Amino acid sequence: MSAVSARPALGFLRERRRAHQPASRWSDRFTAAYTAALYAVIGVLLGVRVLRQSPARGEAAAWLSGGGLARVAVAALLLGLLAALRYATWQGPVVFSAPDVHFLLSAPLPRAELVRARLARGLVLAAGLGALLGLGAFVLLEAELGVAAGPLLAACVLGPVAFAVLAGALGWLVECSAARARLVLLAGPLLLVAAAATAFGGAAAARIAPWSGPWGWAAGPLVAAAKGHDPGWPLQAALLALLTLAALLVAWRGAGAVTLEELERRAGTRSGLGADLYVADLRGAALLRREATRGLFGTRRVRLRRPPAGRRWRFLVVAWRDALSALRAPGRFGWALLLGGTSVLAVAVAPDRRVVLAAAVLACYLAAAQLVEPLRVEADQPDASRQLPWRWSQLLLLHLLVPVLELSVIGWAALLLALAAGLLPAAGLGVALAGCPLGAATLVCCAAVPAQRGRLEADKMMTAMTMGELGGPAYLLRWFATGPLLAAISLIVPIVILEGATRHPGRLVALAVNAVVALCLALGALLGWLRSRQPPGGG
């Protein structure tokens, strides 16, 4: 049967769907849009007023116009492109529902025409997100710098919009090809390293970043409008427009290149993801994403020598299994190496910046959270642990051995790299190397606290629903933010103590001993709490 035009079929489908929708749908959408717009305007006005009254406005303006804006903008756009491309490896700008795949795409209709309708919608959505981010940047920059609003608004909106459309078109090209998806997953850590190098690269990075690629071309006009130094911004804007147009043409012409099986797989992932997010099951959503990308590489078959037999060495069985899991999924260690190593180097570059310290603590916690995945797997099926000769609390502690060793190795490697780069004084190397295992153990314990409790259960969700509009979200936020809050609480006292070493270098050893004592107290409290745990579900 020959294919016919898809436009009449799509029109008929829209009419039938509109006939089965309630009459109040449009009024509800208008009310929601009006409420969101009202709160957005109020937030923007309050933000502008607060920023204009900030006492540090002059210092912040000098930093932004002196190269800080170029580095931060380029790094942010590079991270946004990475997020869009990684999202395209398992979802992407074109995602059909399962009924659409089974009935609409299976009909004798041109697939390219059906896909182009969804692709246009996805590109419009990407442009809208870029415009929102640009407006947020405009509000912040206008409040801090006080430059001419017209050129700054145009640069803040047009550049991110064009870059977002480019990211959407590239995302569709990734969605069409499994080889491109594998390349994105492999190149992701390199892009993160590039973003970190740009953000902390200093004056050299501020000069090179606007010419480093489309992420720099989009930031160049913004830097020029903010009274920064970028005389080549017209050429950068032209290059960005040409590249965006070329990517759009290639994506539009290749609309029919995707297979039906790939669209069906993504539709199934979408339905499962919607169900998990509806009940706030972030663990289920993470497993769905991991399962969607696992098929791109297959299963790694790695062998590891078993520990010695006998009752004396049986505690090594759990560590052996965790090490085997790490070898079969090296991406977790790679992300932990990237997050932990970058945070250590960032603190070495700017040890006096509180924002950098806070970001480093969060990044180190995320590195530890990557490494405790075997514990999460154990918590997903707590009944399986009853076949082992350990109580649940003992099993928790055994699962911490390999992550602590991995995170300690990452910290040691980052410290030696900082020493080689001249960022760390030789006098403090011994203290840092000795305290690294304690810090690693504390972070791993903080990550183990939320990991061992399993998924968000139905009774917790019902409790949040009965606590009202403010109490319910606060309860869920506390549930999901337990690990980072514990990491901040556990490390804040040692960090404050060690900050005194910059003012009193001669008291480094004494201050380090005090920091170790505070760290040991926090670690002991965390270990004691973990030893009192029962299996998830009250088993």
Side-chain angles (χ1 to χ4, degrees), residues 206-217:
R207 291 191 302 268
I208 298 173
W211 296 100
S212 58
W215 41 86
W217 303 341

Side-chain angles (χ1 to χ4, degrees), residues 372-427:
V372 297
E373 178 62 23
L375 179 56
R376 293 193 190 91
V377 175
E378 199 82 65
D380 288 339
Q381 297 178 340
D383 292 338
S385 63
R386 297 179 180 178
Q387 303 177 11
L388 301 175
W390 299 287
R391 297 191 304 273
W392 177 255
S393 58
Q394 295 173 331
L395 192 60
L396 293 183
L397 300 183
L398 292 176
H399 272 298
L400 303 183
L401 297 178
V402 172
V404 169
L405 179 60
E406 290 177 310
L407 197 59
S408 299
V409 170
I410 291 172
W412 288 330
L415 289 173
L416 292 177
L417 182 59
L419 178 66
L423 302 175
L424 182 68

Side-chain angles (χ1 to χ4, degrees), residues 180-243:
R180 298 189 194 109
R182 285 191 292 268
L183 180 62
V184 168
L185 293 176
L186 292 175
L190 298 179
L191 293 180
L192 275 180
V193 170
T198 302
F200 300 102
R207 291 191 302 268
I208 298 173
W211 296 100
S212 58
W215 41 86
W217 303 341
L222 174 61
V223 173
K227 302 303 181 182
H229 180 71
D230 189 9
W233 70 267
L235 179 58
Q236 294 163 4
L239 290 174
L240 177 63
L242 291 176
L243 183 60

Side-chain angles (χ1 to χ4, degrees), residues 424-439:
L424 182 68
L429 179 63
V431 174
L433 292 177
C436 195
L438 279 177

Side-chain angles (χ1 to χ4, degrees), residues 6 9-10 13-14 17 91-105 110-126 168-169 172 175 251-252 255 258 263 266-267 270:
L10 293 176
L13 184 61
R14 283 193 294 268
R17 286 177 174 172
Q91 284 290 275
V94 176
V95 181
F96 289 87
S97 63
D100 287 337
V101 172
H102 295 156
F103 297 101
L104 186 62
L105 293 176
R111 185 176 303 170
E113 192 172 348
L114 296 174
V115 168
R116 282 169 182 165
R118 298 297 177 95
L119 179 59
R121 187 186 306 174
L123 294 176
V124 170
L125 179 60
W172 167 244
E175 186 177 349
W252 198 259
V258 67
L263 293 176
R266 292 172 184 265
R270 177 190 180 185

